[in-house]
Amino acid sequence: MVDVYERALDPVVFSHLSDVADKLGVNAYVVGGYVRDFFLGIPNDDIDIVVEGGSGLDFAKVFGEMVGGEVQLYENYGTAKVHYSGGEVEFVGCRREAYERGSRKPIVEEGTLSDDLNRRDFTINAMAFSINKKTYGYLVDKFNGISDLKHGIIRCVGTPDDRFSEDPLRIWRMVRFKCKLSRPDKEFHYDISTFDAAKRNAYRNEILSKERIVEEFDKIMKTQYAPDGVRALKELGLLKLTLPEVDALSMPDDKGHKDVFEHTMQVLWNVCQKSDDLYLRWAALLHDIGKVPTRKFEPGFGWTFYGHAEVGAKMVEKIFRRMKMPTDTRMGFVMKMVAMHMRPNTLAEEGVTDSAIRRLLFDAGDDIEKLMILCKSDVTTRYENKRQRIYENMCKIEERMAEIEEKDAIRNFKNPVDGYLVMGVYGLKPCKEISVIKDAVKDAILDGKIPNDYNAAVGVMKEKAKEIGLTPVPDAEKIIFANGTTKDVEPVKEV
């Protein structure tokens, strides 16, 4: 008996696709993720069409003309994509593939639907709905993908060793699908033989480009169950091959210190519950990597990790460059989060001063909320009293930050005294004295000695300039007044 799911093909686009299939006299099917997600009740606009007995390129041309879409042909690969007002559809002819040992690029030949399903990675991705009018909505489920979906199993099509040896990126995809498809009420699991084969073939990771690895790693990190994915990568041996700095956090210890790797997984889990920000999640994963090189045991005290935040921040840059990850502001953000992740916790333990709060706001800038998410997530002590005390202190810090920010506007701090003013008033060319004066003004504001305004800042500028032996030019007061009027303040009075 054939299972028919016409309701899966409700969108009007399938009516057009069906017309094209019958017009060309070919068999056509929607395959892969669209079919899988239909049974999971997950919306999916990613439509992939395979054409049996014809060309995917020709099919795309006719469909594109019918819907007035933009047709992109990739003739070298036998694939096509059509962009139209309702979205996009990808096309390919049914094919069978053979792989050479040292490459992910297969040798491709024309094949049947059965051949095409044979080459797919997992049973849950190897199902198809017919879109021909006579068989509209017929389900093709050669490998019992429905059963595996029902029981939450990630299982390879055919022989797992062959699938992973052909393309080791499938190992990463296996982990991603487990993390992506799991829900609180239904967790997916790895088929044992599939997972064991993935472990045996992890060494094949060497043929993958860094870019493809990072693309899959990012997709894992975006899921709700990212920590489970990282644990799986560790067990498979992939973490050691790609992020040895994180793998090394499982430091052997017979002196009672917590497992830093598992602590990191808890921090990552906490962040995932509070934020979808990918790079904040990366910061959570990397926040303690500096503990490995800074680890030292002091008798009578225990393990110490002095300077691990600063060391870890420098390691982040090396990781991002090695893995060919973005080296722009996204890398800078992760470095900042790792470098600063101890600051609020230290304040919470040692007490809060307004000066410390101002400097925290100044250094974190617009990223302060994300830093606080990371820092709160970093409190994983098993001692309830300590955890509650730190959490309450964190809340006090946030209250004081709000009060100080409202009064002093430190978060987006801009020094009221800039270099051009100093050069004009004292007749200087670029030199270190300018930085000395600007730093004196900044420190006076952050330490609460003066308010964050122009007149007070000019007063500090004059005092510091006199201290280091600078003499103002004859028209200094005019320059100060002119600069002040652009800031909408009263002219500075001589003191």
Side-chain angles (χ1 to χ4, degrees), residues 53-92:
S55 164
L57 301 178
D58 292 340
F59 198 110
K61 292 175 185 176
V62 177
F63 174 72
E65 183 177 352
M66 179 180 293
V67 299
E70 176 190 352
V71 181
Q72 293 179 309
L73 302 178
Y74 307 96
E75 296 186 8
N76 290 341
Y77 300 98
T79 64
K81 182 183 294 185
V82 175
H83 299 269
Y84 70 106
S85 59
E88 66 178 38
V89 182
E90 296 190 19
F91 303 86
V92 67

Side-chain angles (χ1 to χ4, degrees), residues 374-414:
L374 176 60
C375 293
K376 285 184 175 180
S377 299
D378 195 25
V379 182
T380 65
T381 176
R382 64 180 182 271
Y383 300 110
E384 177 62 30
N385 290 341
K386 181 179 180 181
R387 183 167 62 249
Q388 186 62 31
R389 185 183 75 251
I390 295 175
Y391 183 82
E392 290 174 356
N393 287 343
M394 286 276 197
C395 292
K396 292 178 182 178
I397 289 174
E398 289 180 315
E399 291 173 3
R400 289 297 297 134
M401 284 195 300
E403 294 170 3
I404 291 172
E405 175 60 22
E406 182 178 359
K407 182 179 69 173
D408 295 339
I410 296 296
R411 180 192 300 220
N412 295 305
F413 176 84
K414 184 176 181 181

Side-chain angles (χ1 to χ4, degrees), residues 134-337:
K134 287 186 178 180
T135 53
Y136 199 70
Y138 279 28
L139 172 67
V140 180
D141 183 14
K142 181 178 179 181
F143 302 104
N144 296 315
I146 289 289
S147 176
D148 283 346
L149 274 182
K150 180 179 179 181
H151 295 98
I153 298 173
I154 309 293
R155 188 196 315 272
C156 271
V157 168
T159 305
D161 278 294
D162 291 343
R163 296 291 81 76
F164 293 133
S165 179
E166 290 165 354
D167 185 358
L169 194 67
R170 289 169 172 161
I171 303 175
W172 290 87
R173 285 167 56 82
M174 175 190 77
V175 175
R176 168 163 59 96
F177 283 125
K178 196 266 189 189
C179 296
K180 176 183 177 180
L181 300 179
S182 289
R183 297 289 184 271
D185 59 340
K186 182 179 181 180
E187 183 178 358
F188 272 68
H189 303 276
Y190 305 109
D191 167 64
I192 295 176
S193 60
T194 293
F195 192 85
D196 289 345
K199 189 182 297 187
R200 287 192 294 271
N201 287 276
Y203 74 96
R204 296 273 291 154
N205 194 68
E206 64 186 10
I207 73 170
L208 300 176
S209 70
K210 294 290 195 300
E211 292 85 351
R212 294 307 302 273
I213 291 172
V214 169
E215 181 181 355
E216 285 297 326
F217 212 142
D218 279 349
K219 289 178 179 179
I220 292 169
M221 292 288 283
K222 289 177 181 178
T223 69
Q224 182 181 359
Y225 293 94
D228 289 346
V230 177
R231 289 189 183 96
L233 294 175
K234 182 175 179 61
E235 186 174 352
L236 289 165
L238 288 177
L239 195 62
K240 188 173 185 178
L241 295 173
T242 55
L243 278 182
E245 297 87 349
V246 177
D247 186 78
L249 291 175
S250 293
M251 296 177 279
D253 178 31
D254 57 357
K255 297 179 173 65
H257 192 272
K258 62 187 175 185
D259 184 327
V260 181
F261 178 80
E262 276 307 315
H263 161 73
T264 298
M265 294 304 97
Q266 183 61 55
V267 175
L268 178 57
W269 171 262
N270 293 342
V271 169
C272 287
Q273 308 314 301
K274 301 171 184 175
S275 173
D276 293 329
D277 188 297
L278 172 62
Y279 290 96
L280 183 58
R281 294 183 177 195
W282 271 105
L285 181 63
L286 302 177
H287 80 284
D288 268 350
I289 55 175
K291 283 190 171 180
V292 176
T294 60
R295 184 178 187 234
K296 182 179 180 181
F297 186 77
E298 296 185 2
F301 182 80
W303 289 108
T304 63
F305 306 94
Y306 296 129
H308 79 272
E310 294 77 14
V311 171
K314 294 177 182 178
M315 294 169 69
V316 167
E317 180 176 5
K318 293 179 181 178
I319 289 171
F320 269 57
R321 295 190 185 283
R322 183 184 75 228
M323 296 298 294
K324 298 185 178 179
M325 295 173 73
T327 54
D328 53 17
T329 55
R330 289 167 288 186
M331 180 181 78
F333 168 78
V334 177
M335 291 177 66
K336 180 201 282 190
M337 292 295 102

Side-chain angles (χ1 to χ4, degrees), residues 434-452:
I434 297 171
S435 294
V436 171
I437 291 173
K438 288 176 61 180
D439 286 345
V441 173
K442 180 191 74 175
D443 289 341
I445 293 172
L446 295 181
D447 290 339
K449 295 177 180 177
I450 63 171
N452 184 10

